[in-house]
Amino acid sequence: MGCQDVQIPFISGTTEAQSPLPRTECIDAPDHDTLTQDLLAAINAERVKRRLPPLRTSSTLMQVADFYSCRLIDGRFFDHVDPFDGSTVDTRVTDFGYAFQKVGENLAAGHKTAKDAVSAWMESPGHRANLLDPAFTETGIAVKTGGDYGWYWVQEFGKPLATTHPTPPAEPSSAPATDPPAPPAAGAK
């Protein structure tokens, strides 16, 4: 689980420098879709540099990341363990129905760019281990604003128990199509 044991949050700057009156409500960061794409691209670039396969997004892990980023903001805490319900990444993904072999989580706060968030993670042994773990195949990302630190970055990592992608349809048969047998004629015995 990598960085779950890390006690020091990855916070860029101070709250005062970012905003004298931080918003407390959780909202998508400006250009949320672009930021999440930038974050995924930066993470996958680090993986590809080391000949690791890129991560693909999981809709379930995206939902978990979205949920937990707002939980951090609304609960006014910054930790891998939710102090209100004691949940951890493994219990959260299970609650969302994600069956896994392995999961992990990276959190960052205060960074305003994907590049800065990934740089901070790459400088931390636990976060770096998650980011470069060859066992992980899927990810979920959320970038939110609000709360005490202004910007929150949540990345969930997973290796599902089984493939979550549908099996491709079977190749069409080369045998000629046949019509079903015709029903017997009326009055026939």
Side-chain angles (χ1 to χ4, degrees):
M1 299 203 194
C3 67
Q4 278 199 290
D5 296 328
V6 174
Q7 299 299 315
I8 302 170
F10 280 83
I11 301 167
S12 174
T14 64
T15 306
E16 296 78 35
Q18 292 172 22
S19 172
L21 298 170
R23 285 191 319 271
T24 56
E25 78 270 8
C26 177
I27 60 172
D28 282 344
D31 297 321
H32 178 266
D33 293 342
T34 300
L35 288 171
T36 57
Q37 290 170 3
D38 290 350
L39 187 64
L40 182 60
I43 289 161
N44 281 336
E46 292 294 340
R47 290 176 63 88
V48 169
K49 280 184 208 175
R50 290 153 184 91
R51 296 190 172 115
L52 296 169
L55 298 172
R56 64 182 176 272
T57 58
S58 155
S59 60
T60 303
L61 293 178
M62 294 291 279
Q63 291 173 355
V64 175
D66 191 71
F67 165 79
Y68 199 58
S69 57
C70 283
R71 185 80 170 161
L72 294 169
I73 291 169
D74 296 340
R76 301 190 75 161
F77 69 94
F78 189 79
D79 199 331
H80 294 284
V81 179
D82 185 318
F84 300 102
D85 66 10
S87 68
T88 59
V89 64
D90 55 331
T91 56
R92 287 188 290 275
V93 301
T94 299
D95 288 347
F96 275 80
Y98 187 81
F100 63 90
Q101 294 178 41
K102 185 175 185 177
V103 291
E105 178 175 76
N106 281 357
L107 306 176
H111 306 286
K112 292 184 179 179
T113 68
K115 180 181 176 184
D116 290 345
V118 172
S119 292
W121 286 336
M122 290 300 289
E123 292 173 11
S124 159
H127 293 91
R128 180 185 176 97
N130 275 344
L131 218 143
L132 301 178
D133 190 327
F136 291 134
T137 59
E138 297 183 336
T139 191
I141 298 166
V143 185
K144 301 288 186 178
T145 60
D148 296 331
Y149 303 116
W151 289 73
Y152 291 76
W153 303 77
V154 174
Q155 182 178 19
E156 310 296 359
F157 298 88
K159 178 178 183 178
L161 275 179
T163 181
T164 57
H165 303 288
T167 305
E171 290 293 318
S173 172
S174 59
T178 58
D179 291 329
K189 294 193 183 201

